[in-house]
């Protein structure tokens, strides 16, 4: 196999951000990016094994009808590859075992959390320990937020980053851990990667609308202990060019949007480690 | 045995929905309620083992971190009242459908036929309420008696073991499907009785034309040959009524009008549409010559224009007014996912790239008694807002632009305009993609949702005023996810070239979609029993006419059908072959082998007699207020900023995703704190190109009371200047006209019909004049003609309303600008002349007057100004640009200032005016074609050179402090206010909605 970084963006049943997420992978340096409808995996037309980096895009899986990404998590866990006994989830677990990368944004993050992929304590990727639920405001909201990044987290995607400004666009983004013990461990292990912060990107905040949903400890995104599995509510793929920034007509900004950094970090890591 | 699974939040988890409901009960109804909790109820009617039931409850139906569940036993505790709200049988239950699919995934088997999952929500209320109050909450806030069933229980009647008990809202129809023959050989009175009783909405002339056709000896002979005896079947009559409905045939826009103007001069207009709308577009396209960018106008589901060599744009705006009046949420949701299918069903099918929406409501804080059968405007506001939110956000289509207009005459009929634009590759498999054509022998394939009784008679219903017997079957609920799966599949099929034509099933269902597509071939043969149904028991005519949502009709070459169907199966989409297209000239429908309709296509599509109507224009004169100059203009400015038509719509805008798909450039909210009111939106549909699209709109029903001619002119001008303000170019813009009128046909119940029709004529004349003056072709449009509410003696008619939507090409989005002031010391200019044009203004409305001096659009001056300003923006000379509209100069200046977080000093003595000597008139006159512009001081000369030849003036500067200051005509300070105070007044009124 030639040394090429291959990304898959999983689509279907209500994903919405696959196009821009695929484009972000490309801008981040990927050699190949495929938007793959989940039915292609279920019908065995493609396999996760062929890729290094799985992207789970934002959207409304199954309309979020049973709670955000609940029905989606149910599908990804119980779907079988047609005419075989192989669970799609087994492919996914193997993918993780091979040291490959998964990024879930917004609905993709909700999917990861509800399937049990994050935080994945003790490499148990099947048990849910945290959740994302209705914003305290009771509303879906589209607004840009200031995010402080934890420099001590093992997260591959945020390496070298201290802060980032991105939009959230969700109605169910409030992060809640099962209990204090889980929360404590998330902090101790450095798995809290991104937090909603004040305008100066200094302090995590519980103040609305800086913290747009009332997330516990202002948590906006977490990773697993390997740092290779990462999910967050804000949308990096929505900030690929300076013209995406809400104030680009009044601020001096570099042409490249900050959202690309997450993808570049991932692809650099793959190039250095997996190829 | 059916069973119930209840799911509720654990005690320490915040119940945001419950809190919201509680707030509404306390604030809106003033009832004493101390707490509301929500419980989700799944009623499962299926054979399951106890183990499976546990798995289901624990798995997909509840979240183990925050929720608890119970099986066949109530969760509700410590309450005063429980209200359970579920859907009536047959109403689309999206959550139930998803739950069923999740259960099937989990169990790795399909549920039996007829088994299903039904959902409801329980509201557990603490508070001292009477039974009447609880019922009022149920019907007035939690649900809608048209589509919901309620179960209300207080703590004393509560069964602790069983709670509400299990009930399954399954559809049961006892009738047997049958076809009836209808005898039309009756007198005129009875003909009309048939039309009325069957909700055909056909007038006597039309009924007689149908009667004549079925009595034609040649027709009788041909029918005999295929074994049909006698008159029309109910299938035929219903299909004719649908095809000939106002909704589908636009009889008023296509009829003959005898118009008399105020001088008594008469003229005959043979089709408003052909003469003024299509006529203008044809002239404009001719004048544009080689630079004509129109590809397909007025013939497909959406208008198509060129974007660049490789891509085209399809744009359509629709209204969904009548259903939104009955059920705001379902009506608006169906409106948005319905209009999505228009560009999706245009040419060979477009990928959807943005939505727009404009609403017209009565005051949400209306506190007078509400007439019978009308929902409170606040409920309409919230329901419509939420319906569009779910439709747009869940479909992954950004909502870019829109507005909300308030006038209490929208009490009986809110207007809900929803629009969608799609992007199509210019060529697909070597074929020009804006052209579609079914061929004889192509198969008729229906894709997407199943057919039920929902939405039957939508086309004829929307062509009637709302009255006491309005059918509740007209209410339906859209299903964005079923539609999303379908569009995902069809875009793949499109790129593989698997079909020849595509159209949506909207009003009129299969009858309309197949009937219209068959115009390509000259006939079709359709087998109704092959159509997949939601439940059995539908009559053949109901299958043909049903408006069940999320369905497309396609023409598929038989050689592609296997590939097509297996792709559909893999992507989880239902597709069914229902028949084939023919060249027999017949609308030929069968049910279980028996012919149920056999009508000549030619009669169906061309047999409708032209309507003849009379229009008489008379200018109305209103009292002039002659207001004294107010002593405190600062307070007046505060009051103006808080007016519903001027204040911020941020709460609504934020609840719509305006950034999905990644191309957002100019957002609806801009400025230093991302909360200033953008004039228009700009997006980049292709992520690897700087080319963009500008989207804007204009709507000014307030001027209709004075003269609809100027209302129309102002709406066009508003849309154009909004697009110009962000950097649009008038040479590459296309328009869409959406007329919403009150009944313009004179009758006993409608004594001023001739006046209203004259208003319609005048609006069309203005559209003809101004689109040609600006060189902006209309590419598509729609009309909705009977927006009246009638109940007993009460009649409420909407003001004649036109939404003019605009789409334009931007060569380089990096050159676009926003409306917020940018830097201290920047110079402030006004472009355009301010006249004494207070008629219909917000300022007059604030004082309770209409007036007479309605704003006029001086198109030649305006166009020159727009071209110069575009040039200045393109050259990077303009820091900010904001148009003057509702509330005039004062409001535009204040918005520019506070959106930029900077103060301003303005001197009114420098403003170019005609015939104005009073500060308040200068500040609040709504003269058209004006802008507030700020520029860097060092660009002054260059800017003025580019603008030379236009009326414009430097009127002040941006300041670094936070004070907004205006010097009046006498040289004294007439307004002095903190920009934060101004912004607060502007943001507050609708923040809670």
């Amino acid at each position: 196999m030639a040394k090429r970084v291959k990304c898959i963006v999983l689509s279907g049943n209500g994903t919405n951000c696959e196009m821009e997420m695929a484009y972000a992978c490309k801008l981040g340096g990927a050699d190949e990016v495929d938007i793959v409808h989940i039915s292609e995996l279920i019908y065995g037309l493609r396999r996760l094994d062929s890729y290094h980096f799985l992207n789970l895009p934002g959207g409304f899986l199954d309309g979020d009808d049973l709670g955000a990404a609940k029905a989606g998590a149910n599908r990804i866990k119980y779907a079988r590859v047609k005419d075989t006994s192989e669970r799609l989830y087994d492919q996914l677990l193997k993918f993780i075992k091979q040291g490959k990368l998964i990024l879930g944004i917004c609905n993709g993050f909700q999917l990861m959390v509800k399937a049990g992929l994050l935080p994945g304590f003790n490499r148990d990727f099947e048990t849910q320990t945290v959740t994302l639920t209705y914003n305290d405001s009771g509303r879906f909201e589209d607004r840009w937020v200031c995010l402080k990044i934890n420099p001590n987290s093992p997260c591959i995607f945020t390496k070298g980053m201290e802060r980032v400004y991105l939009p959230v666009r969700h109605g169910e983004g409030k992060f809640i851990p099962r209990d204090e013990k889980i929360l404590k461990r998330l902090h101790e292990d450095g798995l809290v990667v991104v937090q909603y912060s004040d305008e100066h990107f200094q302090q995590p905040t519980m103040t609305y609308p800086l913290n747009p949903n009332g997330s516990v400890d202002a948590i906006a995104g977490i990773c697993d202990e390997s740092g290779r599995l990462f999910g967050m509510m804000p949308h990096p793929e929505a900030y690929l060019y300076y013209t995406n920034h809400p104030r680009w007509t009044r601020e001096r900004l570099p042409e490249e949007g900050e959202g690309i950094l997450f993808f570049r970090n991932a692809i650099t890591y793959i190039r250095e480690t997996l190829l | 045995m059916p069973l119930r699974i209840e799911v509720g939040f654990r005690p320490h988890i915040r119940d945001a929905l419950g809190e919201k409901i509680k707030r509404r009960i306390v604030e809106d109804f003033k009832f004493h309620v101390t707490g509301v909790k929500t419980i989700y109820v799944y009623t499962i009617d299926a054979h399951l083992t106890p183990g499976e039931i546990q798995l289901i409850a624990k798995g997909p139906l509840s979240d183990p971190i925050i929720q608890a569940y119970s099986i066949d036993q109530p969760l509700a505790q410590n309450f005063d009242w429980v209200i359970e709200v579920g859907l009536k049988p047959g109403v689309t239950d999206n959550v139930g459908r998803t739950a069923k699919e999740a259960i099937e995934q989990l169990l790795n088997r399909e549920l039996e036929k007829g088994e299903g999952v039904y959902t409801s929500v329980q509201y557990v209320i603490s508070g001292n309420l009477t039974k009447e109050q609880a019922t009022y909450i149920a019907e007035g806030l939690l649900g809608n008696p048209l589509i919901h069933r309620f179960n209300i229980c207080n703590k004393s009647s509560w069964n602790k073991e069983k709670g509400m008990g299990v009930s399954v809202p399954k559809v049961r129809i006892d009738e047997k499907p049958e076809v009836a023959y209808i005898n039309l050989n009756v007198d005129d009175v009875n003909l009309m009785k048939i039309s009325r009783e069957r909700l055909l909405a056909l007038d006597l002339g039309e009924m007689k034309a149908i009667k004549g056709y079925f009595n034609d000896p040649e027709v009788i002979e041909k029918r005999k040959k295929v074994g049909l005896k006698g008159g029309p079947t109910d299938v035929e009559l219903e299909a004719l009524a649908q095809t000939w409905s106002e909704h589908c045939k636009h009889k008023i826009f296509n009829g003959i009008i005898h118009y008399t103007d105020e001088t008594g001069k008469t003229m005959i207009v043979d089709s408003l549409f052909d003469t003024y709308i299509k006529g203008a577009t044809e002239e404009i396209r001719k004048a544009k010559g080689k630079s004509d960018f129109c590809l397909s106008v007025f013939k497909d589901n959406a208008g198509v224009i060129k974007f660049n060599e490789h891509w085209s744009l399809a744009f359509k705006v629709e209204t969904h007014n009548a259903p939104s009046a009955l059920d705001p949420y379902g009506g608006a949701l169906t409106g948005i996912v319905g209009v999505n299918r228009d560009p999706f069903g245009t040419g060979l099918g477009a990928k959807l790239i943005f939505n727009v929406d404009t609403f017209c409501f009565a005051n949400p804080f209306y506190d007078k008694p509400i007439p019978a059968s009308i929902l409170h405007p606040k409920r309409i506001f919230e329901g419509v807002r939420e319906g569009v939110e779910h439709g747009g956000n869940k479909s992954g289509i950004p909502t870019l632009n829109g507005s909300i207009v308030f006038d209490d005459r929208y009490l009986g009929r809110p207007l809900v305009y929803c629009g969608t634009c799609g992007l199509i590759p210019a060529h697909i498999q070597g074929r020009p993609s804006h052209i579609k054509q079914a061929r004889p022998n192509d198969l008729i394939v229906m894709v997407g949702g199943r057919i039920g009784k929902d939405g039957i008679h939508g086309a004829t219903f929307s062509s009637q005023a709302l009255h006491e017997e309005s059918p509740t079957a007209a209410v339906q609920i859209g299903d964005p996810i079923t539609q999303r799966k379908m569009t995902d599949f069809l875009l793949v099929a499109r790129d593989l070239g698997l079909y020849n034509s595509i159209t949506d099933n909207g009003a009129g269902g299969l009858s309309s979609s197949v009937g219209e597509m068959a115009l390509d071939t000259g006939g079709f043969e359709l087998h109704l029993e092959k159509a997949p149904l939601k439940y059995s028991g539908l009559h053949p005519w109901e299958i043909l006419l049903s408006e069940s949502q999320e369905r497309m009709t396609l023409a598929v070459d038989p050689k592609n059908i296997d590939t097509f169907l297996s792709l559909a199966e893999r992507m989880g989409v239902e597709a069914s072959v229902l028949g084939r297209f023919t060249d027999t000239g017949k609308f030929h429908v069968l049910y279980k082998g028996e012919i149920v309709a056999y009508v000549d296509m030619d009669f169906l599509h061309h047999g409708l007699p032209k309507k003849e109507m009379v229009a008489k224009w008379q200018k109305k004169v209103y009292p002039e207020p002659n207001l004294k100059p107010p002593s405190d203009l600062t307070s007046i400015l505060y009051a103006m900023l808080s007016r519903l038509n001027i204040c911020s719509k941020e709460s609504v805008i934020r609840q719509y995703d305006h950034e999905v798909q990644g191309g957002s450039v100019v957002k609806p909210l801009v400025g230093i704190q991302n909360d200033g009111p953008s004039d228009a939106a700009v997006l980049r549909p292709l992520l690897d190109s700087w080319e963009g699209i500008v989207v804007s709109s204009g709507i000014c029903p307030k001027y209709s009371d004075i003269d609809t001619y100027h209302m129309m002119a102002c709406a066009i001008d508003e849309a154009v200047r909004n697009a110009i303000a962000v950097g649009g170019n008038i040479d590459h813009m296309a328009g869409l006209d959406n007329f919403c009128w009150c009944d313009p046909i004179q009758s006993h119940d409608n004594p001023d019909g001739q006046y209203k029709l004259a208003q319609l004529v005048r609006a069309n004349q203005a559209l003809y004049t101004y689109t040609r003056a600006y060189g902006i072709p209309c590419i598509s449009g729609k009309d909705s003609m009977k927006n009246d509410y009638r109940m007993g003696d009460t009649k409420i008619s909407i003001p004649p309303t036109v939404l003019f939507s605009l789409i334009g090409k931007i060569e380089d989005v990096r050159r676009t600008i926003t409306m917020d002031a940018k830097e201290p010391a920047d110079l402030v200019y006004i472009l355009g002349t301010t006249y004494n044009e207070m008629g219909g203004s917000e300022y007059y409305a604030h004082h309770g007057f209409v007036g007479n001096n309605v704003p006029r659009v001086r198109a030649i001056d305006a166009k020159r100004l727009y071209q110069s300003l575009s040039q200045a923006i393109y050259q990077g000379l303009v820091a900010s640009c904001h148009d003057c509209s509702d509330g005039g100069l004062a409001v535009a200046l204040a918005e520019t200032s506070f959106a930029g977080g900077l103060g301003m000093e303005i001197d009114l003595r420098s403003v170019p005016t005609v015939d104005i000597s009073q500060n308040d008139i200068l500040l609040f006159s709504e003269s058209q074609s004006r802008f507030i512009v700020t520029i860097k001081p060092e660009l002054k000369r260059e800017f003025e050179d580019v603008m030379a030849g236009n009326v414009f003036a430097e009127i002040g500067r941006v300041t670094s402090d936070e004070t907004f200051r205006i010097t009046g005509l006498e040289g004294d300070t007439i307004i002095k206010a903190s920009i934060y105070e101004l912004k607060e007044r502007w943001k507050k009124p609708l923040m809670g909605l």
Side-chain angles (χ1 to χ4, degrees), chain A residues 15-16 20 23 39 63 65 70 74 128 131 136 138-139 142 144 165 169 241-242 244 248-250, chain B residues 14 20 62-63 98 102 394 481 484 570 654 657-659 661 665 667 684 814 818 820-821 993:
Chain A
T15 61
N16 290 332
E20 57 267 39
Y23 198 65
S39 68
D65 285 337
K70 274 294 286 178
N74 184 71
Q128 184 183 349
T131 199
D136 278 350
R139 288 178 177 183
D142 178 337
W144 285 62
Y165 187 54
R169 309 189 314 246
Y241 289 102
Y242 76 112
N244 290 131
W248 72 271
T249 60
R250 54 184 304 129
Chain B
R14 192 166 172 177
K20 201 159 138 184
S62 69
D63 184 324
T98 299
K394 291 190 179 186
I481 289 308
R484 188 64 213 270
R570 165 159 81 70
R654 288 223 180 279
D657 187 335
H658 46 261
E659 304 187 70
Q661 300 192 16
V665 176
K667 301 183 203 301
R684 240 159 26 104
R814 291 170 294 187
T818 53
D820 45 312
L993 278 164

Side-chain angles (χ1 to χ4, degrees), chain A residues 174-248:
Chain A
K174 181 181 179 177
F175 182 89
I176 301 182
R178 189 174 64 204
D179 51 40
E180 282 299 320
K181 246 171 57 196
I182 302 272
L183 184 62
K184 197 162 160 247
R185 179 154 175 200
L186 284 170
H187 283 298
E188 280 175 2
D189 295 357
L191 306 185
V192 173
V193 183
V194 214
Q195 285 169 295
Y196 303 108
S197 79
D198 65 317
E199 294 100 325
H200 309 292
F201 301 88
Q202 297 301 314
Q203 291 301 320
T205 179
M206 294 305 289
T207 310
Y208 175 86
L210 293 165
N211 176 337
N213 48 38
S215 282
V216 170
D217 288 357
I219 294 173
I222 59 171
C223 67
D224 79 328
E225 59 201 41
S226 77
R228 293 189 293 262
L229 273 53
F230 172 51
M232 66 172 176
M233 290 311 297
H235 288 269
E237 81 291 352
Y239 185 19
L240 302 180
Y241 289 102
Y242 76 112
T243 51
N244 290 131
H245 191 291
R247 294 186 301 277
W248 72 271

